[in-house]
Amino acid sequence: MTEAVLYLKRISSDFFEECRLASFVFTKDVYTPYTSLNASFYPDNGDYSDISEIKLSVRGKTVHHGLVDSLEFSDKNGCPIVRLVSRGFTSLLAQNQLEPGLKTGISFNSLIDDYYTFPYVTHEDISSTDGYIYVKYGSSIWDGAVNLTYKMNGGYPYIHGTNCVMMNPVESPMYFTYGSDEIMETGMTLSGKKMLSHLHMSDINGEYGTFELSDDEAAVRNFVRHHFFELDMQFLYNPQQALEYRMSFAKRANLRYFCVYNGYKGEDLCDITAFGSEVRAARICGIAIRGNQDGISTEISVYYDDFYNRQ
């Protein structure tokens, strides 16, 4: 597979290339705080017990740089193979918790830079300290990034490049279209399994009835799902936003259009795409690249929800 190259790094040495890549699946989504890679290859470099980093390059573009979640070497009847699973380094943001309590004068920069040092993780440069976050017990740095992004622009953070955390859509997105000779499949999916019809949040005294929100879309689809929760300290400045955020998050990616085509053109999240009759100038929300001995194909997903491509 010459269009995709896998690189592995040992703890105390540089990256080396694995030339005989058997298959891989790379995925990236606006609601997942890291890139993911599942791959298998026929080994050429001996012992793999000290691998610490993994990269994947597709058609000359590095799409993944991450940690080793798991790596398995097996030899069956003289046919050795290595299977690995890797998540990008930004996965560490979701695995490191913040000290609970009120954090005032915090910026996107200080949230990611000032608490822990994460290898290879970069972020959009936003130094504004207009807001605060309230860290609940067990909350991660990624939870803080989600909260701060929603407060500042009503959006949801995502990963750009290999490990760059973004709060806003890229300013100069690339534009991608696909010819009929390239497209293998187009389609749509509709999901209502997470949608909520009514939200009820208690006030400071623990009583219900003041902060409530219903969803008209859920009603017309006959979803009846009432959820109750305590006053969300993360939104004390605007309690109603706690309801609005939860309602929007429950509907994330509920309407998806996708296309699958031969090859890979270099798309990234929040670039612009157009395909089929339904998708015109929409932000890319999901990317899945699959490769094997037969070649490479890419699936591009566009979501229409409250965070991306609002209608």
Side-chain angles (χ1 to χ4, degrees):
M1 193 187 307
T2 58
E3 294 182 306
V5 182
L6 188 67
Y7 299 93
L8 280 66
K9 184 182 183 301
R10 302 188 192 281
I11 293 174
S12 58
S13 63
D14 294 331
F15 280 95
F16 61 89
E17 180 180 334
E18 285 293 345
C19 299
R20 298 192 295 153
L21 184 58
S23 66
F24 73 90
V25 178
F26 164 84
T27 58
K28 191 174 189 180
D29 187 272
V30 288
Y31 294 117
T32 303
Y34 48 82
T35 59
S36 296
L37 174 66
N38 287 55
S40 61
F41 62 91
Y42 305 109
D44 293 319
N45 291 278
D47 183 26
Y48 292 87
S49 61
D50 62 346
I51 301 300
S52 61
E53 298 177 32
I54 296 169
K55 287 184 179 181
L56 176 70
S57 174
V58 182
R59 289 194 166 181
K61 178 179 179 178
T62 300
V63 297
H64 177 82
H65 183 194
L67 300 145
V68 179
D69 275 355
S70 66
L71 187 150
E72 176 188 85
F73 173 91
S74 65
D75 190 330
K76 185 176 181 180
N77 299 324
C79 297
I81 193 168
V82 175
R83 298 178 179 87
L84 61 84
V85 178
S86 172
R87 286 181 291 178
F89 280 94
T90 51
S91 62
L92 296 172
L93 299 175
Q95 297 169 350
N96 282 270
Q97 297 179 353
L98 290 168
E99 180 183 356
L102 183 66
K103 311 291 183 184
T104 60
I106 196 166
S107 69
F108 200 61
N109 291 358
S110 63
L111 174 66
I112 299 175
D113 293 337
D114 290 0
Y115 293 96
Y116 309 104
T117 300
F118 300 108
Y120 308 110
V121 173
T122 60
H123 57 81
E124 185 178 0
D125 183 11
I126 302 176
S127 58
S128 171
T129 57
D130 295 337
Y132 76 93
I133 61 172
Y134 185 88
V135 180
K136 296 184 290 186
Y137 181 80
S139 292
S140 67
I141 289 182
W142 181 256
D143 293 330
V146 169
N147 184 243
L148 196 58
T149 299
Y150 191 75
K151 285 181 177 180
M152 295 186 72
N153 64 17
Y156 197 91
Y158 66 98
I159 306 303
H160 195 258
T162 53
N163 290 290
C164 181
V165 186
M166 299 289 291
M167 177 182 285
N168 298 292
V170 290
E171 293 183 357
S172 300
M174 297 183 67
Y175 188 88
F176 295 91
T177 58
Y178 312 99
S180 57
D181 58 329
E182 299 174 288
I183 293 180
M184 304 164 59
E185 180 185 4
T186 60
M188 62 83 66
T189 60
L190 179 65
S191 175
K193 62 183 179 180
K194 300 175 183 176
M195 189 177 292
L196 302 174
S197 62
H198 296 80
L199 287 173
H200 312 268
M201 184 175 70
S202 68
D203 60 20
I204 195 70
N205 298 314
E207 298 178 353
Y208 290 91
T210 301
F211 303 118
E212 298 188 328
L213 184 65
S214 61
D215 184 73
D216 293 337
E217 184 180 358
V220 299
R221 295 183 185 277
N222 296 315
F223 292 119
V224 181
R225 295 171 182 153
H226 288 254
H227 280 205
F228 289 76
F229 60 100
E230 295 178 342
L231 179 66
D232 191 340
M233 303 292 286
Q234 294 179 108
F235 293 92
L236 274 180
Y237 72 103
N238 187 348
Q240 196 66 22
Q241 271 201 336
L243 300 165
E244 294 168 359
Y245 168 74
R246 279 172 167 76
M247 195 70 81
S248 294
F249 191 68
K251 295 192 292 184
R252 66 193 183 280
N254 65 325
L255 178 59
R256 177 179 79 106
Y257 287 92
F258 66 90
C259 79
V260 182
Y261 72 93
N262 281 313
Y264 172 63
K265 295 188 176 185
E267 299 93 339
D268 207 339
L269 297 182
C270 282
D271 281 337
I272 306 295
T273 189
F275 56 84
S277 59
E278 297 87 0
V279 177
R280 290 290 179 266
R283 295 277 181 180
I284 294 174
C285 297
I287 301 166
I289 311 172
R290 298 176 175 87
N292 54 36
Q293 297 304 315
D294 295 326
I296 290 174
S297 66
T298 302
E299 179 178 287
I300 299 298
S301 294
V302 168
Y303 304 150
Y304 289 95
D305 59 22
D306 289 349
F307 293 109
Y308 292 97
N309 301 307
R310 300 179 179 93
Q311 292 181 311

